[in-house]
Amino acid sequence: MKWSTSLLGLLSFIAVVVNGAENPRIIIVGAGAAGVAAASRLYQRGFRNITILEASQRIGGRIRTTPFGPGIVELGAQWCHGEVGNVVYQLASVYPGLLKSSIIADEDAVLIRSSGARVPEAVADRLQTMAEGIIESDQRDSFAGSLGDFFTQKYWQTLATPAYKDISRDLAEQFLVYYHNYERGYTAYDSWFEVAASETDSYVEPAGNQDIAWNGKKGFSAILDIVSGNYPGTTNTSLTPVPINSLVKYGKFVSNIQWKGSSDGDVIVKAQDGTTYEADNVIVTVSLGVLKENSATMFSPALPTVNQQAITGLYFGTVNKIFVLFDAPIPEDFPNTVHLLWYKSDLTALRQSPHAWAEAISTFFRIDNQPNVLMAWMNGAEGRRAEYLLNAPIRDGVLHLLKIFGKGLKFGNVTGILRSKWSSDRLFRGSYSSRSITTENLNTGARALGTPVRNAANEPVLLFAGEATNPVHYSTVHGAIDSGFREANRLIRYYG
């Protein structure tokens, strides 16, 4: 039989009251995608005593849609990656016109050398296909060294075959450096020599378009309204609108969680401003970077070994963006996606110039719905160091690269610069998680990080959500939302 929405809501509420503390007190630390998802799922199942402690003055976390020029840009999460098995796509695609294929999804990415010459499309496609084949090779599973060692070895072996005799040594070396940069940006690590070739967990890519852009004034932030049942025109009557803003207390940087806080089983949460909160359960959704920096003092007593090893072993890297606004559209002949390939002599000259930081830029992207805006994608340690530079040298470095890789093209005057600084921001300390050699050596991973901490009565008092706790969809918004739903469902089952 089909249950009515009102009856389902009543049953949810009754379950909360009957099988546990009446109206259990639940604190969620962090109002990013995972925190909003957890709070929404709980609220929509009848839980009402929910408090979200958010250290900043906004919701969204690493979703950071920001006004820039005549429109918006995404300082954090930018594209919806995939369709099948992606909760973000499943939730958002029911709204006509909200999602569209990004202009970077045209398969027209161009490799440009520092001479200004473009690598012929057929050659670039062959090299790219070969590189992807090495990355996806089953032979990785039996290789004892790093991914960098594995890739480099297989790369040069493959290029030595007759099928690639037309590829010059210069181009081969340049492509190898580029592809390393590509992988660094994709997985947010500094070097593929820090990553094990053989991984016990692997990211599962949802099938379908990997570069889906957002329409509308709210950009990616619209997903927060959809999850919480507040998106205009919501037709899913099972999603009770969640008063997120009334649940959130802003400016609350959580400094300590006493998960064996009192004799009656309360969890005591302390914020840096001196305020204290008591709860029956706490869901921690802060970034892995924040856990790495603060977990030793954040939890009393110390976390169990399984959680500690995951925090230590999982990798948390940084990818940053620079958005440049011009007073004229980007030249038509500049491709939607440009990957940078350096001659050794040119790279040496760059390193000796005032623009040395610009080595961090691996790719330029055009921006959907913003014809006058160009985005530079920065990786690794160089990108982190660039966070501390002023806008003027950043602007000059970008223009220097455009003279090299946009040779002969006339760009307008720069009228605005906007950039992310994920590493130096104490509320994040990086962009997203991945696995490393340390992860494999400690035999840990996202599942271990998401293991709930139980008290002496075997009650799940401390729970963890966030993209870094998702074994198959780490590093993504859909992974974060899935994890928030997962931990909310854990409490729903416990109380119900």
Side-chain angles (χ1 to χ4, degrees):
M1 69 182 284
K2 294 183 178 180
W3 298 93
S4 72
T5 302
S6 58
L7 181 56
L8 278 173
L10 177 61
L11 288 174
S12 297
F13 180 73
I14 291 173
V16 172
V17 174
V18 169
N19 197 35
E22 183 174 334
N23 205 13
R25 301 159 298 169
I26 299 172
I27 286 178
I28 298 171
V29 183
V36 170
S40 298
R41 176 61 56 87
L42 288 166
Y43 191 93
Q44 289 158 355
R45 295 299 186 274
F47 292 75
R48 291 294 185 267
N49 199 348
I50 301 169
T51 301
I52 306 174
L53 301 180
E54 168 55 43
S56 73
Q57 297 297 324
R58 64 178 185 87
I59 68 169
R62 282 167 278 169
I63 298 176
R64 192 159 190 172
T65 307
T66 306
F68 187 60
I72 57 167
V73 293
E74 305 286 1
L75 279 172
Q78 186 156 345
W79 299 285
C80 173
H81 298 298
E83 300 161 80
V84 180
N86 181 334
V87 67
V88 170
Y89 182 83
Q90 291 166 353
L91 290 170
S93 60
V94 300
Y95 300 98
L98 183 58
L99 298 177
K100 69 171 186 176
S101 184
S102 172
I103 58 174
I104 74 158
D106 305 353
E107 303 295 332
D108 71 340
V110 175
L111 307 183
I112 300 182
R113 307 170 83 174
S114 54
S115 62
R118 300 186 181 192
V119 177
E121 182 179 353
V123 174
D125 287 347
R126 285 168 57 211
L127 289 171
Q128 191 80 18
T129 300
M130 181 257 285
E132 290 170 359
I134 296 174
I135 288 291
E136 296 169 3
S137 169
D138 292 339
Q139 295 178 35
R140 284 181 58 174
D141 298 339
S142 57
F143 191 86
S146 71
L147 174 59
D149 291 325
F150 175 80
F151 187 94
T152 303
Q153 177 181 314
K154 293 295 181 184
Y155 179 75
W156 290 116
Q157 285 177 357
T158 306
L159 283 176
T161 63
Y164 293 92
K165 64 181 181 181
D166 60 314
I167 304 298
S168 69
R169 181 75 185 193
D170 267 352
L171 178 56
E173 290 176 347
Q174 291 166 13
F175 184 86
L176 180 61
V177 173
Y178 144 71
Y179 198 77
H180 183 204
N181 271 335
Y182 172 83
E183 283 292 312
R184 291 201 307 161
Y186 187 73
T187 53
Y189 48 64
D190 284 3
S191 167
W192 55 13
F193 295 103
E194 299 174 296
V195 181
S198 176
E199 296 179 335
T200 52
D201 276 346
S202 293
Y203 177 80
V204 176
E205 184 176 279
N209 188 348
Q210 297 301 306
D211 301 302
I212 302 172
W214 296 80
N215 281 320
K217 295 180 179 179
K218 299 201 75 170
F220 211 140
S221 296
I223 194 63
L224 304 172
D225 290 337
I226 294 171
V227 167
S228 61
N230 289 299
Y231 190 75
T234 294
T235 57
N236 187 344
T237 56
S238 69
L239 296 181
T240 305
V242 181
I244 289 292
N245 283 325
S246 69
L247 303 181
V248 178
K249 294 185 181 297
Y250 294 100
K252 301 294 180 180
F253 187 97
V254 171
S255 55
N256 185 253
I257 301 172
Q258 297 178 24
W259 55 275
K260 291 184 179 178
S262 64
S263 57
D264 57 4
D266 289 347
V267 182
I268 299 174
V269 181
K270 295 181 179 179
Q272 211 164 55
D273 64 1
T275 52
T276 299
Y277 305 85
E278 294 182 353
D280 297 295
N281 313 91
V282 174
I283 303 177
V284 178
T285 74
V286 299
S287 76
L288 176 59
V290 170
L291 290 176
K292 283 181 176 292
E293 183 170 75
N294 299 290
S295 63
T297 56
M298 191 175 180
F299 301 100
S300 302
L303 291 174
T305 301
V306 63
N307 305 90
Q308 288 191 47
Q309 285 195 323
I311 292 169
T312 299
L314 285 168
Y315 196 92
F316 199 68
T318 304
V319 169
N320 275 314
K321 302 173 182 178
I322 304 168
F323 294 95
V324 184
L325 175 65
F326 295 91
D327 64 0
I330 307 303
E332 287 185 10
D333 289 339
F334 195 79
N336 290 343
T337 303
V338 173
H339 298 301
L340 314 186
L341 274 64
W342 289 95
Y343 282 95
K344 286 183 178 179
S345 58
D346 292 334
L347 188 55
T348 298
L350 179 72
R351 289 170 175 169
Q352 295 172 350
S353 78
H355 313 301
W357 69 269
E359 184 180 351
I361 296 176
S362 64
T363 308
F364 285 110
F365 293 105
R366 286 178 179 263
I367 300 300
D368 292 278
N369 307 317
Q370 288 265 50
N372 291 27
V373 176
L374 192 64
M375 178 177 73
W377 189 276
M378 296 196 299
N379 300 326
E382 306 92 343
R384 289 197 297 276
R385 288 194 292 269
E387 294 185 19
Y388 298 95
L389 296 176
L390 297 175
N391 277 351
I394 294 291
R395 176 200 62 213
D396 294 344
V398 169
L399 293 178
H400 178 72
L401 293 191
L402 290 178
K403 287 179 182 177
I404 297 172
F405 295 96
K407 203 168 188 178
L409 300 179
K410 181 172 177 55
F411 290 81
N413 299 310
V414 175
T415 58
I417 294 279
L418 182 67
R419 53 202 176 107
S420 62
K421 300 179 181 180
W422 294 110
S423 178
S424 56
D425 191 328
R426 69 189 289 254
L427 305 187
F428 302 99
R429 294 304 190 208
S431 302
Y432 41 86
S433 66
S434 60
R435 300 182 65 84
S436 70
I437 289 177
T438 304
T439 314
E440 306 304 329
N441 289 342
L442 291 176
N443 191 29
T444 188
R447 187 171 282 104
L449 180 59
T451 302
V453 176
R454 299 176 181 272
N455 60 16
N458 201 35
E459 299 166 333
V461 294
L462 186 59
L463 303 91
F464 292 89
E467 54 85 10
T469 72
N470 195 310
V472 294
H473 291 151
Y474 50 84
S475 80
T476 65
V477 174
H478 58 270
I481 290 174
D482 271 336
S483 74
F485 288 160
R486 180 194 69 214
E487 296 311 308
N489 289 340
R490 193 189 304 274
L491 290 181
I492 291 166
R493 289 193 301 271
Y494 171 71
Y495 284 110

